[in-house]
Amino acid sequence: MSMITVKNLSAGYGFVNVLRDVSLDINAGEIVAVLGSNGVGKTTLNNTLSGLIKPKSGEISFEGQSLVGASPEAIVNLGMIHVPEGRKLFPNLTVRDNLELGSYRRGKSDRAANLEDVLDTFPKLRDRINQIAGTLSGGEQQMVAIGRGLMSNPKLLILDEPSLGLSPLLVEQMFDLIKRINEKGLTILLVEQNVIQSLAIADRAYVIEEGAIAISGNAAELQDNAELKKSYLGL
Amino acid sequence: MLPAAIINGLMFGAIYALVALGLTLIYGVLHIINFAHGAMLMLSLYAAFFLFQLANIDPYLSIAIVTPAAFIFGYLIYRYGIGVLSKGKDQNILLITLGLSIIIENSALFFFSGDQQTVSLSYSFEAFDLGFMYLSYPKVISFVAALVICALLWALMSLTDMGRAIRAVAKERQGARLVGINVEHIFAVTFGIGIACLGAAGCMMLPIFYVDPYTGNIFVLVAFTIVVLGGMGSIIGALLGGFIIGITESVGGLLLGESLGQIGISLIFILILIFKPTGLFGSKV
């Protein structure tokens, strides 16, 4: 049974359609990668899923419930969390405040326990807990962004370009970490430009070109897909 | 004479600080200048005035009525007026608040007339004897109440989820939406808190000042100076700035005569713009 189903979704800004007729689905427990280069509509897809922009047409349903017209708060309440590209941390607040605001909608009930979990996942943040988030390094900020997403006990985590701007070593660690979070039972939509690393950890993948799904299939099979190799890997 | 002037300045500065606090909070979070600030302060003064005239409620007790009422007024006028009409564009908000101030002031002129109104309390002329000066009860009460309100506001901003959400929205609206913060609600709450500060300030001013449809603007001009001095968006800056300006005005009045006392304020304003345009405390919210 799929956790989220997107059917014939079109979305964009003003008169411009960025996404055209996109359909995809994600099953509980999967890592699904959405791949594509800059400007093909990956972030528009995420922003539509998380309610920041309204779809022009099409259907999105999360656990059987329609998300079309739902507010971002309502979508957070349902358990779908979007960790945005560029992190969008609260730069003037401490790491602790950033993380705790991740559970803003849940109140204080299991905040302390969730914070402990996040700090176990990202031990480095323990030393940084009272530091102002804007002063952290890029890698640490990405940890806070994912940690903030985990604070609300989500069912589905949308990660938008988590490897962007990280050093090669950190990129490797970031993908390991995504895999580990997934193994704990969290479903993940991974939106990336890093095709090789994403296919290595994903179960299935969709490739977006010019706002529409161009290729889709099992990650393992896509690793050998000639068209994909040619367009994205230059092989 | 000088210590007396300084203490007097502190007393008045606390009220200035409250007016500036509202202005700086709204600026810090919504990134707009509320041009209707003076008009709304004037409404608070009239609210306290009529509560005294018609229901015989002491202005200091009115704080408990006018402050929450001002919060609700501010919340509603942002949520269902300014926020909706502006369609999310900052320059529209500017024009709407300017228009609002014209409407409020002229309505006040129409309904309340242009006459200056004052109240006199039974204890208006009673005072503490400090040895070197007399300190009137109303001034002391205003001072203490202003400090209490600043402390409450500080606690709200640093210790509660609401306060953290307000500070989060000030810097990162999209990030705030994605953790499930309703940004429009937070804007309206912030606007409400800013106007609530005016509600309290209006009640405190009434016993030591007068009210007419333009009273608010006198204070808001000073409040702008305080906000620039303290740093746009800084709460602590507004408080300290209020005291500095209060003392400057009072000491300036002592040295140069009452009517020239405000020269010092303009001088500080110019110096700050030349030497530290970000103000004493930068732009921390």
Side-chain angles (χ1 to χ4, degrees), chain B residues 213-252:
Chain B
Y214 300 108
T215 333
N217 292 329
I218 303 169
F219 289 91
V220 170
L221 271 181
V222 177
F224 272 124
T225 311
I226 293 169
V227 169
V228 171
L229 170 63
M232 304 282 258
S234 166
I235 289 178
I236 186 86
L239 186 60
L240 280 183
F243 288 141
I244 292 172
I245 293 294
I247 292 171
T248 306
E249 185 180 37
S250 163
V251 172

Side-chain angles (χ1 to χ4, degrees), chain B residues 72-85 184-185 188:
Chain B
I72 293 168
F73 176 77
Y75 184 95
L76 293 177
I77 212 157
Y78 186 86
R79 190 81 196 254
Y80 301 104
I82 300 170
V84 178
L85 293 172
E184 290 310 312
H185 170 69

Side-chain angles (χ1 to χ4, degrees), chain A residues 160-173:
Chain A
D160 195 346
E161 307 254 13
S163 74
L164 196 71
L166 301 186
S167 70
L169 181 67
L170 279 177
V171 168
E172 196 116 339
Q173 289 176 0

Side-chain angles (χ1 to χ4, degrees), chain A residues 47 50 52 72-73 76 81-82 84 88-93 96-97 100-102 104-105 108 111 148, chain B residues 159-162 164-165 167-172 174-183 185-186 285:
Chain A
N47 287 347
S50 55
L52 291 179
E73 309 87 272
V76 168
I81 295 288
H82 173 187
K88 311 283 182 197
L89 295 182
F90 309 122
N92 50 331
L93 302 189
R96 178 190 296 278
D97 284 344
E100 293 193 345
L101 276 175
Y104 179 75
R105 308 243 22 121
K108 293 185 172 153
R111 180 173 288 176
R148 186 177 68 180
Chain B
L159 305 178
T160 69
D161 268 13
M162 176 59 76
R164 283 196 282 200
R167 288 186 293 144
V169 167
K171 292 284 180 192
E172 181 47 67
Q174 194 187 342
R177 284 206 171 86
L178 290 176
V179 298
I181 294 172
N182 182 339
V183 172
H185 170 69
I186 294 291
V285 171

Side-chain angles (χ1 to χ4, degrees), chain A residues 26-216:
Chain A
I26 303 169
N27 299 317
E30 279 187 317
I31 298 182
V32 169
V34 169
L35 307 169
S37 44
N38 264 335
V40 298
K42 302 192 302 294
T43 296
T44 305
L45 173 66
N46 289 343
N47 287 347
T48 313
L49 292 180
S50 55
L52 291 179
I53 58 177
K54 304 287 168 230
K56 289 178 190 275
S57 64
E59 183 51 45
I60 307 169
S61 66
F62 182 74
E63 297 189 318
Q65 203 166 343
S66 173
L67 295 189
V68 176
S71 65
E73 309 87 272
I75 291 172
V76 168
N77 282 348
L78 288 173
M80 187 160 106
I81 295 288
H82 173 187
V83 178
E85 180 186 352
R87 298 143 199 152
K88 311 283 182 197
L89 295 182
F90 309 122
N92 50 331
L93 302 189
T94 62
V95 170
R96 178 190 296 278
D97 284 344
N98 266 277
L99 292 174
E100 293 193 345
L101 276 175
S103 58
Y104 179 75
R105 308 243 22 121
R106 296 178 60 83
K108 293 185 172 153
S109 55
D110 30 40
R111 180 173 288 176
N114 282 353
L115 184 63
E116 268 312 298
D117 275 354
V118 168
L119 294 177
D120 285 343
T121 311
F122 302 104
K124 226 178 174 176
L125 294 185
R126 223 178 262 283
D127 311 324
R128 299 267 186 259
I129 192 86
N130 292 319
Q131 199 169 320
I132 299 294
T135 64
L136 298 178
S137 73
E140 290 163 342
Q141 290 197 13
Q142 189 62 53
M143 293 179 197
V144 177
I146 296 177
R148 186 177 68 180
L150 294 174
M151 283 295 290
S152 65
N153 275 345
K155 295 171 187 162
L156 173 68
L157 198 62
I158 302 175
L159 298 174
D160 195 346
E161 307 254 13
S163 74
L164 196 71
L166 301 186
S167 70
L169 181 67
L170 279 177
V171 168
E172 196 116 339
Q173 289 176 0
M174 188 55 67
F175 280 98
D176 282 348
L177 184 105
I178 294 167
K179 186 77 193 153
R180 271 195 286 135
I181 296 173
N182 169 252
E183 279 162 0
K184 284 187 190 168
L186 189 60
T187 310
I188 289 174
L189 173 60
L190 174 63
V191 177
E192 261 292 344
Q193 293 193 45
N194 189 328
V195 172
I196 301 180
Q197 300 264 25
S198 302
L199 288 179
I201 62 164
D203 298 296
R204 289 184 303 118
Y206 295 86
V207 179
I208 301 190
E209 277 172 15
E210 291 174 14
I213 305 266
I215 311 170
S216 64

Side-chain angles (χ1 to χ4, degrees), chain B:
Chain B
M1 285 298 271
L2 192 63
I6 290 175
I7 289 175
N8 258 322
L10 274 178
M11 301 290 141
F12 230 82
I15 299 179
Y16 281 155
L18 267 184
V19 179
L21 211 56
L23 202 60
T24 208
L25 190 67
I26 292 172
Y27 176 81
V29 177
L30 285 83
H31 308 305
I32 53 146
I33 305 259
N34 175 23
F35 278 115
H37 216 62
M40 290 177 180
L41 175 62
M42 173 268 291
L43 280 186
S44 314
L45 275 154
Y46 271 112
F49 175 73
F50 285 116
L51 281 170
F52 181 77
Q53 287 291 320
L54 305 176
N56 208 17
I57 300 175
D58 185 291
Y60 293 108
L61 297 180
S62 291
I63 293 176
I65 303 167
V66 178
T67 309
F71 173 81
I72 293 168
F73 176 77
Y75 184 95
L76 293 177
I77 212 157
Y78 186 86
R79 190 81 196 254
Y80 301 104
I82 300 170
V84 178
L85 293 172
S86 68
K87 300 191 166 70
K89 292 208 174 72
D90 288 355
Q91 66 269 34
N92 291 352
I93 300 186
L94 221 63
L95 291 174
I96 292 167
T97 59
L98 193 61
L100 207 58
S101 76
I102 295 171
I103 293 171
I104 294 174
E105 278 174 7
N106 286 287
S107 307
L109 203 56
F110 182 77
F111 290 109
F112 309 146
S113 87
D115 299 341
Q116 292 185 354
Q117 311 274 10
T118 53
V119 301
S120 68
L121 307 171
S122 56
Y123 53 85
S124 269
F125 297 103
E126 289 186 41
F128 293 109
D129 186 355
L130 298 183
F132 57 93
M133 69 178 293
Y134 289 102
L135 203 50
S136 73
Y137 283 3
K139 280 186 179 165
V140 176
I141 301 171
S142 298
F143 179 70
V144 172
L147 286 187
V148 168
I149 289 169
C150 287
L152 285 176
L153 196 60
W154 175 85
L156 172 83
M157 292 298 281
S158 19
L159 305 178
T160 69
D161 268 13
M162 176 59 76
R164 283 196 282 200
I166 290 174
R167 288 186 293 144
V169 167
K171 292 284 180 192
E172 181 47 67
R173 295 177 190 182
Q174 194 187 342
R177 284 206 171 86
L178 290 176
V179 298
I181 294 172
N182 182 339
V183 172
E184 290 310 312
H185 170 69
I186 294 291
F187 280 167
V189 167
T190 307
F191 202 81
I193 295 173
I195 306 307
C197 289
L198 293 180
C203 297
M204 292 174 199
M205 259 173 219
L206 188 64
I208 51 182
F209 210 71
Y210 63 87
V211 53
D212 71 23
Y214 300 108
T215 333
N217 292 329
I218 303 169
F219 289 91
V220 170
L221 271 181
V222 177
F224 272 124
T225 311
I226 293 169
V227 169
V228 171
L229 170 63
M232 304 282 258
S234 166
I235 289 178
I236 186 86
L239 186 60
L240 280 183
F243 288 141
I244 292 172
I245 293 294
I247 292 171
T248 306
E249 185 180 37
S250 163
V251 172
L254 174 72
L255 300 178
L256 304 170
E258 202 63 54
S259 56
L260 290 176
Q262 295 214 327
I263 283 183
I265 299 178
S266 308
L267 196 64
I268 285 189
F269 189 66
I270 293 167
L271 289 178
I272 280 286
L273 286 182
I274 294 174
F275 294 108
K276 202 161 187 316
T278 55
L280 297 174
F281 292 88
S283 66
K284 276 179 259 166
V285 171

